[in-house]
């Protein structure tokens, strides 16, 4: 009998996998399914990006390097300058990643000492499960902080006692936030960074929803660093910005010492994006028009969903940015409401899938088209009117 990694046994399956299985079973009968479960919208990848990839597929295929192509690092640096007004050196401050998920997962392997006193990883619950899971697989301790609606779903490092902070090596922040869609301003990042630095904690900012904003552009944690990137890293991605979830293209930007350490670590893992993906990623970072178009599409979907929830008296919280809408479960039980919605062939994620802090809430990912959102709303409204769903 081969042995097993206790970290894997303790975690079980990936939380949203079960929901995907259920949705898959429902889809199999061929009738329409309104699937709002997974953050992978239906909109096509812009043609200029697809073409760049196709043109870059050569006769010979070589291993990509961990440092990535200079043109890609430059494109990411240029985007940071344009979008956030932050100047970074493409050689010292930037590394490409194969999407941001693997970069998030692997970060603790570069900074966490499993035998040392600082092996806790802080993150907000509800949240993206990979922060805690990456900590556990690296031999550290996942240390979730419960987020609350009344705090705008933002964590507050200053509210933690010093012992808890001193045990931590990484604090993950993520705004715009999955699953709540909550945003944060530069002042908030500044406060978190000050506490993190005081306690020698790396502030790791997951910024994969940076371009999916509606009222005002979402800031980066690097803006709060005021030119000194020590102790802060931003994790960026083209998945949501450019409709490239399948390409696996992201990047890590920030503290030059940490970037050096990651450049040492990452060839061991072998997760550099393939060269043709890097070429497509460079084209994507260098173009802004498609991003603005995508944002307009998500805004149109929100304009279908948000007024409907208001009309039927469902409380929405967060939801200022991202393509997620976060709402309180009518009746209070998110799992029961998700199941009742499934009966209407509407798939929403129960908040508890993102940690106990999500109980009582549900997340809609605005994946279907605008017409698809409208069809789902019609079905939902009819189910409430017929008494099949609580209003
Ligand atoms: C909060 C958050 N971080 C990171 C990711 C990973 O994105 P990707 O690996 O596609 O860049 C996701 C994906 O849904 C996410 O929701």
């Amino acid at each position: 009998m081969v042995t097993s990694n206790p970290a894997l046994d303790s975690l079980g399956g990936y939380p949203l996998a079960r929901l995907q299985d259920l949705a898959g079973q429902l889809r199999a009968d061929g009738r329409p399914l309104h699937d709002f479960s997974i953050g992978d919208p239906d909109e096509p990848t812009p043609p200029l990006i697809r073409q760049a990839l196709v043109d870059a597929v050569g006769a010979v295929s070589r291993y990509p390097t961990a440092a990535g192509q200079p043109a890609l690092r430059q494109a990411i640096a240029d985007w940071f300058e344009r979008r956030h007004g932050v100047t970074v050196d493409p050689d010292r401050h930037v590394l490409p990643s194969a999407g941001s998920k693997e970069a998030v997962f692997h970060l603790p392997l570069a900074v966490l000492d499993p035998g040392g006193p600082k092996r806790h990883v802080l993150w907000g619950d509800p949240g993206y499960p990979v922060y805690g899971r990456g900590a556990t697989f690296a031999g550290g301790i996942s240390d979730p902080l419960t987020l609350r609606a009344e705090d705008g779903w933002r964590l507050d490092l200053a509210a933690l006692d010093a012992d808890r902070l001193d045990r931590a090596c990484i604090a993950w922040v993520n705004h715009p936030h999955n699953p709540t869609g909550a945003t944060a301003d530069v002042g908030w990042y500044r406060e978190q960074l000050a506490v993190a630095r005081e306690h020698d904690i790396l502030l790791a900012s997951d910024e994969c929803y940076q371009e999916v904003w509606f009222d005002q552009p979402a800031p980066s944690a690097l803006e709060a660093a005021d030119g000194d990137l020590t102790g802060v890293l931003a994790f960026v991605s083209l998945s949501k910005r450019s409709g490239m979830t399948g390409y696996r293209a992201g990047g890590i930007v920030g503290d030059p010492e940490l970037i050096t350490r990651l450049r040492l670590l990452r060839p061991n893992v072998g997760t550099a994006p393939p060269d043709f993906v890097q070429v497509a990623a460079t084209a994507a970072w260098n173009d802004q028009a498609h991003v603005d178009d995508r944002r307009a599409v998500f805004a149109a979907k929100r304009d279908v969903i948000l007024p409907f929830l208001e009309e039927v008296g469902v409380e929405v919280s967060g939801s200022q940015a991202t393509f997620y809408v976060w709402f309180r479960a009518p009746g209070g039980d998110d799992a029961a409401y998700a199941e009742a919605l499934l009966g209407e062939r509407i798939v929403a994620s129960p908040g508890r899938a993102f940690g106990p802090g999500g109980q009582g809430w549900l997340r809609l990912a605005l994946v279907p088209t605008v017409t698809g959102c409208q069809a789902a709303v019609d079905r939902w409204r009819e189910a409430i009117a017929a008494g099949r769903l609580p209003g």
Side-chain angles (χ1 to χ4, degrees):
M1 177 83 171
V2 291
T3 57
S4 172
N5 183 342
L8 185 60
D9 296 338
S10 73
L11 292 171
Y14 192 68
L16 287 175
R18 212 180 71 84
L19 205 76
Q20 270 174 309
D21 287 350
L22 275 175
Q25 284 164 23
L26 278 176
R27 201 177 286 110
D29 70 12
R31 287 160 51 219
L33 185 70
H34 309 290
D35 191 350
F36 293 88
S37 60
I38 300 296
D40 198 353
D42 280 352
E43 283 69 36
T45 307
L48 86 104
I49 299 169
R50 283 184 267 151
Q51 194 58 51
L53 180 118
V54 169
D55 291 347
V57 177
V60 177
S61 159
R62 299 207 180 281
Y63 287 117
T65 62
Q69 297 169 356
L72 173 57
R73 293 199 307 271
Q74 184 68 54
I76 295 175
D78 290 347
W79 177 80
F80 253 97
E81 181 84 56
R82 264 195 334 269
R83 172 66 172 77
H84 292 297
V86 174
T87 305
V88 294
D89 178 339
D91 296 330
R92 294 174 56 236
H93 298 136
V94 181
L95 268 189
S97 62
S100 55
K101 182 177 192 173
E102 62 85 3
V104 168
F105 182 83
H106 289 129
L107 175 69
L109 292 179
V111 299
L112 192 152
D113 173 3
K118 277 177 88 64
R119 57 199 169 99
H120 285 221
V121 172
L122 300 165
W123 57 283
D125 159 25
Y128 189 53
V130 184
Y131 313 128
R133 291 174 167 234
T136 306
F137 278 102
I141 294 173
S142 166
D143 192 358
L145 316 174
T146 305
L147 304 179
R148 301 180 315 166
E150 50 272 38
D151 300 327
W153 304 103
R154 286 180 289 274
L155 55 74
D156 179 11
L157 292 178
L160 301 183
D161 60 40
D163 284 352
R164 194 164 178 192
L165 290 165
D166 287 337
R167 285 196 294 266
C169 57
I170 301 171
W172 279 104
V173 292
N174 165 225
H175 292 285
H177 183 229
N178 179 14
T180 69
T183 52
D185 59 26
V186 180
W188 177 85
Y189 281 113
R190 231 176 236 122
E191 286 164 22
Q192 309 316 311
L193 186 56
V195 178
R197 282 179 172 162
E198 201 183 320
H199 293 270
D200 296 323
I201 299 171
L202 160 61
L203 190 72
S205 182
D206 177 351
E207 303 186 353
C208 70
Y209 294 96
Q210 214 61 339
E211 296 275 48
V212 192
W213 51 267
F214 302 101
D215 301 327
Q216 59 190 76
S220 165
L222 300 194
E223 291 176 45
D226 296 319
D228 173 9
L229 298 179
T230 314
V232 58
L233 287 177
F235 291 71
V236 296
S237 170
L238 291 171
S239 289
K240 325 289 174 174
R241 177 186 185 272
S242 300
M244 292 173 66
T245 51
Y247 286 63
R248 314 312 298 129
I252 312 166
V253 186
D255 186 325
E257 266 186 41
L258 291 168
I259 292 290
T260 302
R261 218 176 294 168
L262 287 166
R263 206 182 285 128
L264 270 178
L265 169 80
R266 292 171 59 77
N268 292 283
V269 188
T271 49
D275 275 326
F276 40 83
V277 170
Q278 293 193 43
V279 171
T282 303
W285 286 114
N286 284 336
D287 184 72
Q288 191 63 30
H290 74 276
V291 181
D292 299 339
D293 292 347
R294 280 174 66 77
R295 190 178 304 121
V297 171
F298 293 128
K301 297 182 187 188
R302 270 163 57 91
D303 288 349
V304 173
I305 300 291
L306 290 178
F308 163 72
L309 292 175
E310 193 182 347
E311 169 201 321
V312 295
V314 170
E315 180 190 343
V316 170
S317 185
S319 311
Q320 296 103 352
T322 72
F323 43 67
Y324 301 122
V325 170
W326 184 245
F327 65 96
R328 200 188 281 281
D333 183 334
D334 54 307
Y337 198 73
E339 212 172 302
L341 280 173
L342 263 188
E344 302 298 326
R345 303 185 68 81
I346 298 170
V347 195
S349 304
R352 68 187 62 190
F354 308 96
Q359 276 183 33
W361 297 83
L362 289 101
R363 188 193 78 173
L364 290 175
L366 302 184
V367 174
T369 59
V370 176
T371 320
C373 288
Q374 192 60 62
V377 157
D378 291 346
R379 172 87 190 241
W380 196 334
R381 185 185 287 111
E382 181 207 311
I384 292 173
R388 297 194 303 272
L389 283 175

PDB file of all heavy atoms in Angstrom, residues 39 98-102 104 128 131 174 178 206 208-209 236-240 245 248-249 324, ligand 1:
ATOM      1  N   GLY A  39     -16.451  30.740 -12.069  1.00  0.00           N
ATOM      2  CA  GLY A  39     -16.014  32.029 -12.611  1.00  0.00           C
ATOM      3  C   GLY A  39     -15.286  31.910 -13.935  1.00  0.00           C
ATOM      4  O   GLY A  39     -14.113  32.256 -14.049  1.00  0.00           O
ATOM      5  N   ALA A  98       1.802  30.678 -14.769  1.00  0.00           N
ATOM      6  CA  ALA A  98       0.842  29.963 -15.619  1.00  0.00           C
ATOM      7  C   ALA A  98      -0.557  30.145 -15.039  1.00  0.00           C
ATOM      8  O   ALA A  98      -1.108  29.264 -14.376  1.00  0.00           O
ATOM      9  CB  ALA A  98       1.227  28.489 -15.706  1.00  0.00           C
ATOM     10  N   GLY A  99      -1.124  31.343 -15.241  1.00  0.00           N
ATOM     11  CA  GLY A  99      -2.321  31.745 -14.508  1.00  0.00           C
ATOM     12  C   GLY A  99      -1.873  32.168 -13.117  1.00  0.00           C
ATOM     13  O   GLY A  99      -0.695  32.029 -12.761  1.00  0.00           O
ATOM     14  N   SER A 100      -2.816  32.697 -12.317  1.00  0.00           N
ATOM     15  CA  SER A 100      -2.365  33.100 -10.982  1.00  0.00           C
ATOM     16  C   SER A 100      -2.555  32.003  -9.942  1.00  0.00           C
ATOM     17  O   SER A 100      -1.919  32.010  -8.907  1.00  0.00           O
ATOM     18  CB  SER A 100      -3.039  34.403 -10.539  1.00  0.00           C
ATOM     19  OG  SER A 100      -4.434  34.295 -10.600  1.00  0.00           O
ATOM     20  N   LYS A 101      -3.401  31.010 -10.237  1.00  0.00           N
ATOM     21  CA  LYS A 101      -3.678  29.994  -9.221  1.00  0.00           C
ATOM     22  C   LYS A 101      -2.406  29.256  -8.788  1.00  0.00           C
ATOM     23  O   LYS A 101      -2.134  29.111  -7.590  1.00  0.00           O
ATOM     24  CB  LYS A 101      -4.700  28.990  -9.752  1.00  0.00           C
ATOM     25  CG  LYS A 101      -5.083  27.933  -8.745  1.00  0.00           C
ATOM     26  CD  LYS A 101      -6.145  27.012  -9.294  1.00  0.00           C
ATOM     27  CE  LYS A 101      -6.736  26.154  -8.191  1.00  0.00           C
ATOM     28  NZ  LYS A 101      -7.890  25.381  -8.673  1.00  0.00           N
ATOM     29  N   GLU A 102      -1.642  28.792  -9.744  1.00  0.00           N
ATOM     30  CA  GLU A 102      -0.438  28.033  -9.367  1.00  0.00           C
ATOM     31  C   GLU A 102       0.541  28.935  -8.617  1.00  0.00           C
ATOM     32  O   GLU A 102       1.226  28.484  -7.703  1.00  0.00           O
ATOM     33  CB  GLU A 102       0.203  27.345 -10.577  1.00  0.00           C
ATOM     34  CG  GLU A 102       0.723  28.266 -11.704  1.00  0.00           C
ATOM     35  CD  GLU A 102       2.137  28.781 -11.470  1.00  0.00           C
ATOM     36  OE1 GLU A 102       2.748  28.387 -10.481  1.00  0.00           O
ATOM     37  OE2 GLU A 102       2.600  29.604 -12.283  1.00  0.00           O
ATOM     38  N   VAL A 104      -0.244  31.452  -6.658  1.00  0.00           N
ATOM     39  CA  VAL A 104      -0.797  31.585  -5.301  1.00  0.00           C
ATOM     40  C   VAL A 104      -0.469  30.318  -4.496  1.00  0.00           C
ATOM     41  O   VAL A 104      -0.005  30.384  -3.354  1.00  0.00           O
ATOM     42  CB  VAL A 104      -2.331  31.804  -5.368  1.00  0.00           C
ATOM     43  CG1 VAL A 104      -2.977  31.650  -3.999  1.00  0.00           C
ATOM     44  CG2 VAL A 104      -2.661  33.171  -5.974  1.00  0.00           C
ATOM     45  N   TYR A 128     -10.971  32.617  -1.539  1.00  0.00           N
ATOM     46  CA  TYR A 128     -10.457  31.646  -2.515  1.00  0.00           C
ATOM     47  C   TYR A 128      -9.727  30.552  -1.729  1.00  0.00           C
ATOM     48  O   TYR A 128      -8.812  30.856  -0.960  1.00  0.00           O
ATOM     49  CB  TYR A 128      -9.512  32.405  -3.445  1.00  0.00           C
ATOM     50  CG  TYR A 128      -9.030  31.663  -4.648  1.00  0.00           C
ATOM     51  CD1 TYR A 128      -9.906  31.045  -5.521  1.00  0.00           C
ATOM     52  CD2 TYR A 128      -7.662  31.623  -4.932  1.00  0.00           C
ATOM     53  CE1 TYR A 128      -9.440  30.391  -6.647  1.00  0.00           C
ATOM     54  CE2 TYR A 128      -7.194  30.974  -6.057  1.00  0.00           C
ATOM     55  CZ  TYR A 128      -8.087  30.354  -6.913  1.00  0.00           C
ATOM     56  OH  TYR A 128      -7.613  29.714  -8.023  1.00  0.00           O
ATOM     57  N   TYR A 131      -5.472  29.890  -0.915  1.00  0.00           N
ATOM     58  CA  TYR A 131      -4.540  30.506   0.041  1.00  0.00           C
ATOM     59  C   TYR A 131      -4.240  29.534   1.185  1.00  0.00           C
ATOM     60  O   TYR A 131      -3.086  29.305   1.540  1.00  0.00           O
ATOM     61  CB  TYR A 131      -5.116  31.807   0.628  1.00  0.00           C
ATOM     62  CG  TYR A 131      -5.715  32.747  -0.379  1.00  0.00           C
ATOM     63  CD1 TYR A 131      -7.004  33.259  -0.217  1.00  0.00           C
ATOM     64  CD2 TYR A 131      -4.995  33.128  -1.504  1.00  0.00           C
ATOM     65  CE1 TYR A 131      -7.564  34.123  -1.149  1.00  0.00           C
ATOM     66  CE2 TYR A 131      -5.548  33.993  -2.442  1.00  0.00           C
ATOM     67  CZ  TYR A 131      -6.839  34.472  -2.257  1.00  0.00           C
ATOM     68  OH  TYR A 131      -7.389  35.318  -3.187  1.00  0.00           O
ATOM     69  N   ASN A 174      -7.335  40.140  -1.147  1.00  0.00           N
ATOM     70  CA  ASN A 174      -7.885  39.879  -2.483  1.00  0.00           C
ATOM     71  C   ASN A 174      -9.044  40.829  -2.756  1.00  0.00           C
ATOM     72  O   ASN A 174     -10.158  40.579  -2.337  1.00  0.00           O
ATOM     73  CB  ASN A 174      -8.336  38.400  -2.557  1.00  0.00           C
ATOM     74  CG  ASN A 174      -9.243  38.109  -3.739  1.00  0.00           C
ATOM     75  OD1 ASN A 174     -10.268  37.431  -3.598  1.00  0.00           O
ATOM     76  ND2 ASN A 174      -8.903  38.592  -4.905  1.00  0.00           N
ATOM     77  N   ASN A 178     -13.181  37.740  -4.435  1.00  0.00           N
ATOM     78  CA  ASN A 178     -13.952  36.533  -4.689  1.00  0.00           C
ATOM     79  C   ASN A 178     -14.181  35.871  -3.329  1.00  0.00           C
ATOM     80  O   ASN A 178     -13.205  35.610  -2.628  1.00  0.00           O
ATOM     81  CB  ASN A 178     -13.159  35.586  -5.601  1.00  0.00           C
ATOM     82  CG  ASN A 178     -13.899  34.298  -5.878  1.00  0.00           C
ATOM     83  OD1 ASN A 178     -15.085  34.176  -5.615  1.00  0.00           O
ATOM     84  ND2 ASN A 178     -13.177  33.316  -6.401  1.00  0.00           N
ATOM     85  N   ASP A 206      -3.829  39.246  -4.130  1.00  0.00           N
ATOM     86  CA  ASP A 206      -4.371  38.536  -5.291  1.00  0.00           C
ATOM     87  C   ASP A 206      -5.255  39.515  -6.063  1.00  0.00           C
ATOM     88  O   ASP A 206      -6.337  39.879  -5.605  1.00  0.00           O
ATOM     89  CB  ASP A 206      -5.166  37.330  -4.787  1.00  0.00           C
ATOM     90  CG  ASP A 206      -5.826  36.557  -5.905  1.00  0.00           C
ATOM     91  OD1 ASP A 206      -5.830  37.026  -7.065  1.00  0.00           O
ATOM     92  OD2 ASP A 206      -6.357  35.472  -5.617  1.00  0.00           O
ATOM     93  N   CYS A 208      -6.489  39.304  -9.326  1.00  0.00           N
ATOM     94  CA  CYS A 208      -6.884  38.773 -10.631  1.00  0.00           C
ATOM     95  C   CYS A 208      -8.171  39.408 -11.169  1.00  0.00           C
ATOM     96  O   CYS A 208      -8.468  39.280 -12.346  1.00  0.00           O
ATOM     97  CB  CYS A 208      -6.960  37.252 -10.610  1.00  0.00           C
ATOM     98  SG  CYS A 208      -8.300  36.596  -9.670  1.00  0.00           S
ATOM     99  N   TYR A 209      -8.933  40.109 -10.295  1.00  0.00           N
ATOM    100  CA  TYR A 209     -10.166  40.763 -10.783  1.00  0.00           C
ATOM    101  C   TYR A 209      -9.989  42.263 -10.985  1.00  0.00           C
ATOM    102  O   TYR A 209     -10.979  43.006 -11.082  1.00  0.00           O
ATOM    103  CB  TYR A 209     -11.316  40.499  -9.797  1.00  0.00           C
ATOM    104  CG  TYR A 209     -11.689  39.049  -9.749  1.00  0.00           C
ATOM    105  CD1 TYR A 209     -11.173  38.219  -8.766  1.00  0.00           C
ATOM    106  CD2 TYR A 209     -12.508  38.494 -10.715  1.00  0.00           C
ATOM    107  CE1 TYR A 209     -11.478  36.874  -8.727  1.00  0.00           C
ATOM    108  CE2 TYR A 209     -12.824  37.151 -10.694  1.00  0.00           C
ATOM    109  CZ  TYR A 209     -12.308  36.345  -9.701  1.00  0.00           C
ATOM    110  OH  TYR A 209     -12.608  35.010  -9.693  1.00  0.00           O
ATOM    111  N   VAL A 236      -1.232  38.941 -10.598  1.00  0.00           N
ATOM    112  CA  VAL A 236      -2.148  39.416 -11.638  1.00  0.00           C
ATOM    113  C   VAL A 236      -2.451  38.284 -12.624  1.00  0.00           C
ATOM    114  O   VAL A 236      -1.744  37.259 -12.643  1.00  0.00           O
ATOM    115  CB  VAL A 236      -1.551  40.639 -12.385  1.00  0.00           C
ATOM    116  CG1 VAL A 236      -1.396  41.823 -11.436  1.00  0.00           C
ATOM    117  CG2 VAL A 236      -0.215  40.302 -13.042  1.00  0.00           C
ATOM    118  N   SER A 237      -3.487  38.479 -13.417  1.00  0.00           N
ATOM    119  CA  SER A 237      -3.934  37.389 -14.291  1.00  0.00           C
ATOM    120  C   SER A 237      -4.649  37.939 -15.517  1.00  0.00           C
ATOM    121  O   SER A 237      -5.306  38.975 -15.443  1.00  0.00           O
ATOM    122  CB  SER A 237      -4.896  36.493 -13.504  1.00  0.00           C
ATOM    123  OG  SER A 237      -5.515  35.567 -14.361  1.00  0.00           O
ATOM    124  N   LEU A 238      -4.532  37.203 -16.610  1.00  0.00           N
ATOM    125  CA  LEU A 238      -5.291  37.564 -17.810  1.00  0.00           C
ATOM    126  C   LEU A 238      -6.598  36.777 -17.908  1.00  0.00           C
ATOM    127  O   LEU A 238      -7.381  36.999 -18.816  1.00  0.00           O
ATOM    128  CB  LEU A 238      -4.436  37.310 -19.056  1.00  0.00           C
ATOM    129  CG  LEU A 238      -3.251  38.257 -19.217  1.00  0.00           C
ATOM    130  CD1 LEU A 238      -2.351  37.783 -20.344  1.00  0.00           C
ATOM    131  CD2 LEU A 238      -3.723  39.686 -19.491  1.00  0.00           C
ATOM    132  N   SER A 239      -6.812  35.858 -16.974  1.00  0.00           N
ATOM    133  CA  SER A 239      -7.989  34.992 -17.073  1.00  0.00           C
ATOM    134  C   SER A 239      -9.270  35.795 -17.160  1.00  0.00           C
ATOM    135  O   SER A 239     -10.106  35.585 -18.047  1.00  0.00           O
ATOM    136  CB  SER A 239      -8.055  34.059 -15.869  1.00  0.00           C
ATOM    137  OG  SER A 239      -7.035  33.104 -15.950  1.00  0.00           O
ATOM    138  N   LYS A 240      -9.459  36.707 -16.219  1.00  0.00           N
ATOM    139  CA  LYS A 240     -10.711  37.469 -16.144  1.00  0.00           C
ATOM    140  C   LYS A 240     -10.601  38.719 -17.015  1.00  0.00           C
ATOM    141  O   LYS A 240     -11.556  39.115 -17.665  1.00  0.00           O
ATOM    142  CB  LYS A 240     -10.996  37.864 -14.698  1.00  0.00           C
ATOM    143  CG  LYS A 240     -10.581  36.843 -13.652  1.00  0.00           C
ATOM    144  CD  LYS A 240     -11.437  35.598 -13.640  1.00  0.00           C
ATOM    145  CE  LYS A 240     -10.879  34.565 -12.673  1.00  0.00           C
ATOM    146  NZ  LYS A 240     -11.706  33.397 -12.494  1.00  0.00           N
ATOM    147  N   THR A 245      -8.958  32.189 -19.480  1.00  0.00           N
ATOM    148  CA  THR A 245      -8.814  31.194 -18.405  1.00  0.00           C
ATOM    149  C   THR A 245      -8.073  29.942 -18.891  1.00  0.00           C
ATOM    150  O   THR A 245      -7.259  29.380 -18.168  1.00  0.00           O
ATOM    151  CB  THR A 245     -10.184  30.791 -17.828  1.00  0.00           C
ATOM    152  OG1 THR A 245     -11.028  30.429 -18.918  1.00  0.00           O
ATOM    153  CG2 THR A 245     -10.833  31.922 -17.067  1.00  0.00           C
ATOM    154  N   ARG A 248      -3.896  29.990 -19.274  1.00  0.00           N
ATOM    155  CA  ARG A 248      -3.055  29.981 -18.073  1.00  0.00           C
ATOM    156  C   ARG A 248      -1.951  31.029 -18.204  1.00  0.00           C
ATOM    157  O   ARG A 248      -0.792  30.726 -18.512  1.00  0.00           O
ATOM    158  CB  ARG A 248      -2.441  28.594 -17.792  1.00  0.00           C
ATOM    159  CG  ARG A 248      -3.371  27.416 -17.900  1.00  0.00           C
ATOM    160  CD  ARG A 248      -4.685  27.619 -17.162  1.00  0.00           C
ATOM    161  NE  ARG A 248      -4.517  27.809 -15.728  1.00  0.00           N
ATOM    162  CZ  ARG A 248      -5.077  28.834 -15.064  1.00  0.00           C
ATOM    163  NH1 ARG A 248      -5.821  29.739 -15.680  1.00  0.00           N
ATOM    164  NH2 ARG A 248      -4.892  28.933 -13.787  1.00  0.00           N
ATOM    165  N   ALA A 249      -2.306  32.274 -17.990  1.00  0.00           N
ATOM    166  CA  ALA A 249      -1.356  33.370 -18.128  1.00  0.00           C
ATOM    167  C   ALA A 249      -1.579  34.389 -17.017  1.00  0.00           C
ATOM    168  O   ALA A 249      -2.658  34.972 -16.908  1.00  0.00           O
ATOM    169  CB  ALA A 249      -1.520  34.045 -19.492  1.00  0.00           C
ATOM    170  N   TYR A 324     -19.019  38.779  -9.880  1.00  0.00           N
ATOM    171  CA  TYR A 324     -19.811  38.031  -8.908  1.00  0.00           C
ATOM    172  C   TYR A 324     -20.850  38.935  -8.271  1.00  0.00           C
ATOM    173  O   TYR A 324     -20.595  40.112  -8.036  1.00  0.00           O
ATOM    174  CB  TYR A 324     -18.909  37.457  -7.812  1.00  0.00           C
ATOM    175  CG  TYR A 324     -17.850  36.537  -8.341  1.00  0.00           C
ATOM    176  CD1 TYR A 324     -16.506  36.790  -8.119  1.00  0.00           C
ATOM    177  CD2 TYR A 324     -18.199  35.414  -9.096  1.00  0.00           C
ATOM    178  CE1 TYR A 324     -15.527  35.945  -8.627  1.00  0.00           C
ATOM    179  CE2 TYR A 324     -17.227  34.575  -9.609  1.00  0.00           C
ATOM    180  CZ  TYR A 324     -15.896  34.838  -9.377  1.00  0.00           C
ATOM    181  OH  TYR A 324     -14.934  34.016  -9.890  1.00  0.00           O
TER     182      TYR A 324
HETATM  183  C1  LIG B   1      -9.564  35.007  -6.145  1.00  0.00           C
HETATM  184  C2  LIG B   1      -8.957  34.224  -7.242  1.00  0.00           C
HETATM  185  N1  LIG B   1      -7.626  34.177  -7.327  1.00  0.00           N
HETATM  186  C3  LIG B   1      -7.015  33.484  -8.301  1.00  0.00           C
HETATM  187  C4  LIG B   1      -7.749  32.807  -9.246  1.00  0.00           C
HETATM  188  C5  LIG B   1      -7.013  32.029 -10.286  1.00  0.00           C
HETATM  189  O1  LIG B   1      -7.148  32.562 -11.530  1.00  0.00           O
HETATM  190  P1  LIG B   1      -6.189  32.137 -12.727  1.00  0.00           P
HETATM  191  O2  LIG B   1      -5.347  30.989 -12.260  1.00  0.00           O
HETATM  192  O3  LIG B   1      -7.093  31.746 -13.816  1.00  0.00           O
HETATM  193  O4  LIG B   1      -5.354  33.336 -13.009  1.00  0.00           O
HETATM  194  C6  LIG B   1      -9.130  32.817  -9.204  1.00  0.00           C
HETATM  195  C7  LIG B   1      -9.924  32.064 -10.188  1.00  0.00           C
HETATM  196  O5  LIG B   1     -11.105  32.021 -10.194  1.00  0.00           O
HETATM  197  C8  LIG B   1      -9.756  33.555  -8.166  1.00  0.00           C
HETATM  198  O6  LIG B   1     -11.073  33.615  -8.059  1.00  0.00           O
END
